[in-house]
Amino acid sequence: MVMKDSWVAGSESWAGTQGRAIAAAYEVTQEGVFAVVGDASSDTTPYATLVTSGFKIPSCVPMAATDELSNKKKYPYSIRMIQPNYVYGRKLMNFVAHYNWAKVAFVHSAGEYGSSYIDAVRDGARLNNITIVLDQVFNPGVGGDRDYRQPVQNLAASGARVFVVAGTYSETTNFYIEAAKQNLTGPEYVWITDGGM
């Protein structure tokens, strides 16, 4: 067993560690491995898996739900252990439909993970006759609290009471913290996420 880590010490998120994922994947291919378990993030796995696929080394992907890995022409040696985000996004909207909520606000991070929910949520809303009153992107990591403040203000202005949020755990949690600061939490609101909070 050869242990490598694509996490960059001191990083607050997986963003920016793609280069390390590529390097770690290449390093293990040079160690003579016959399979790789990992990477663990939707932000880094596609990069590492491209490298290992180039060497015809299977990569077992335990945690990355990015839809990109479903492309078997691009990732022929990738073995997914969880469903892609598209499936999760549709299930979020089926949950909304189950409770007969007719309109929602949809917010998602600009990163690969949050963006991978866009088509699924829109399709799920259309198929379930749910109106998306706000389709809002937020860009964490660029300007501190400002990255959350304006999108949450837009959420408040939408008049929605049911919010569907797609992002990493830290992005979703930070978004919710800002929403609490702006009094958008409590029994009159419903928050539905793929993770976090």
Side-chain angles (χ1 to χ4, degrees), residues 19-171:
R20 182 65 196 127
I22 292 168
Y26 180 76
E27 290 168 15
V28 297
T29 65
Q30 302 307 297
E31 299 279 342
V33 300
F34 58 88
V36 173
V37 177
D39 209 326
S41 164
S42 290
D43 290 325
T44 56
T45 297
Y47 298 94
T49 303
L50 273 177
V51 173
T52 57
S53 289
F55 289 93
K56 298 183 179 178
I57 296 172
S59 182
C60 175
V61 183
M63 295 291 293
T66 177
D67 294 328
E68 188 175 354
L69 293 174
S70 297
N71 181 343
K72 287 301 176 190
K73 288 186 179 183
K74 190 172 181 181
Y75 302 96
Y77 293 90
S78 174
I79 303 162
R80 185 189 294 280
M81 301 303 292
I82 61 174
Q83 295 177 326
N85 287 337
Y86 186 84
V87 173
Y88 291 120
R90 289 283 298 273
K91 288 181 179 184
L92 289 174
M93 296 313 289
N94 290 343
F95 180 81
V96 170
H98 174 79
Y99 286 98
N100 295 314
W101 293 318
K103 58 182 194 170
V104 301
F106 172 48
V107 292
H108 56 88
S109 70
E112 197 282 322
Y113 184 78
S115 296
S116 68
Y117 279 80
I118 295 171
D119 290 338
V121 169
R122 289 176 182 164
D123 289 348
R126 182 179 43 77
L127 292 171
N128 288 296
N129 295 315
I130 298 167
T131 302
I132 297 176
V133 297
L134 175 71
D135 192 331
Q136 172 75 56
V137 65
F138 62 95
N139 195 7
V142 175
D145 286 345
R146 290 187 316 251
D147 299 330
Y148 299 100
R149 194 174 313 130
Q150 186 60 53
V152 171
Q153 289 172 354
N154 295 344
L155 203 63
S158 76
R161 294 288 181 248
V162 179
F163 310 127
V164 176
V165 185
T168 64
Y169 291 118
S170 62
E171 292 166 348

